[in-house]
């Protein structure tokens, strides 16, 4: 109920097309988009974490989200190598379906080479999509977070991996973290009603609980 009310209110503020909005996010469905990305159409993976557009502006840039990710245990892919096609998402902002901005992986405490270990043994990872189109320019970052198997299992998602991945990501983010001289304070709020509950439309036929976690990240 909260999510439906919130999304309706936010979408109603769009009076200047293309102008930046001082809101947390806009529900993609209101602009013809979806809270599922296009992983294997018609199936998708849930955009189960949102970094609020009300976060510190520097967090919402490409460099900023990478630094924040490194502060909470994620980094760029092993040696910069990406295997597999990028996924896309329609965030209902007027841009249509757009490829992920970046994919980041758990680094096991080593931002330089730790993601090579994730690629080998599996772990948490997430894809970033930015809501910045002319009809919903919030700057919010929509994340598809999931925990995956090791290389021998072809990096398929672990059982309950969407919810588990989200929960582990949020647990690492909430509170005070820092990296490269930047200190972050992060608060979380769970929202129901944006995603379905169950397996309908979900890639790998893995059930989800329908919860999206909204993170507001403030630079101290």
């Amino acid at each position: 109920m909260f999510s439906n009310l919130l999304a309706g209110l936010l979408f109603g503020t769009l009076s200047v097309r293309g102008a930046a909005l001082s809101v947390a996010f806009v529900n993609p469905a209101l602009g013809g988009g979806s809270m599922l990305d296009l992983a294997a159409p018609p199936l998708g993976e849930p955009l189960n974490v949102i970094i609020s557009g009300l976060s510190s502006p520097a967090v919402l840039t490409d460099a900023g989200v990478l630094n924040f990710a490194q502060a909470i245990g994620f980094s760029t892919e092993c040696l910069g190598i990406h295997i597999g096609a990028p996924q896309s998402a329609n965030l209902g902002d007027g841009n249509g379906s757009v490829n992920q901005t970046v994919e980041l992986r758990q680094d096991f405490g080593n931002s330089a080479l730790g993601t090579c270990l994730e690629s080998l043994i599996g772990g948490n990872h997430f894809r970033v999509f930015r809501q910045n189109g002319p009809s919903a320019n919030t700057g919010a970052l929509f994340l598809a977070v999931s925990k995956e198997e090791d290389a021998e299992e072809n990096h398929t998602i672990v059982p309950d991996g969407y919810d588990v991945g989200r929960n582990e990501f949020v647990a690492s983010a909430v509170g005070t973290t820092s990296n490269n001289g930047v200190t972050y304070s992060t608060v979380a709020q769970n929202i129901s009603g944006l995603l379905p509950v169950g397996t309908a439309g979900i890639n790998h036929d893995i059930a989800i609980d329908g919860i999206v976690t909204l993170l507001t990240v403030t630079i101290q």
Side-chain angles (χ1 to χ4, degrees), residues 111-196:
S111 61
L113 296 174
T115 57
C116 296
L117 182 60
E118 194 278 341
S119 294
L120 180 65
I121 69 171
N124 216 353
H125 74 308
F126 66 97
R127 305 169 194 271
V128 179
F129 303 90
R130 180 176 286 110
Q131 188 175 59
N132 63 352
S135 56
N137 186 12
T138 69
L141 303 178
F142 287 65
L143 313 183
V145 187
S146 59
K147 190 168 186 177
E148 61 184 5
E149 302 277 11
D150 60 26
E152 288 188 1
E153 297 294 331
N154 297 314
H155 292 160
T156 58
I157 307 302
V158 304
D160 200 27
Y162 298 120
D163 293 347
V164 169
R166 177 203 61 213
N167 292 344
E168 291 185 0
F169 179 93
V170 171
S172 68
V174 168
T176 302
T177 55
S178 62
N179 186 56
N180 288 330
V182 182
T183 299
Y184 305 96
S185 176
T186 303
V187 296
Q189 181 174 16
N190 287 339
I191 302 173
S192 299
L194 292 173
L195 281 169

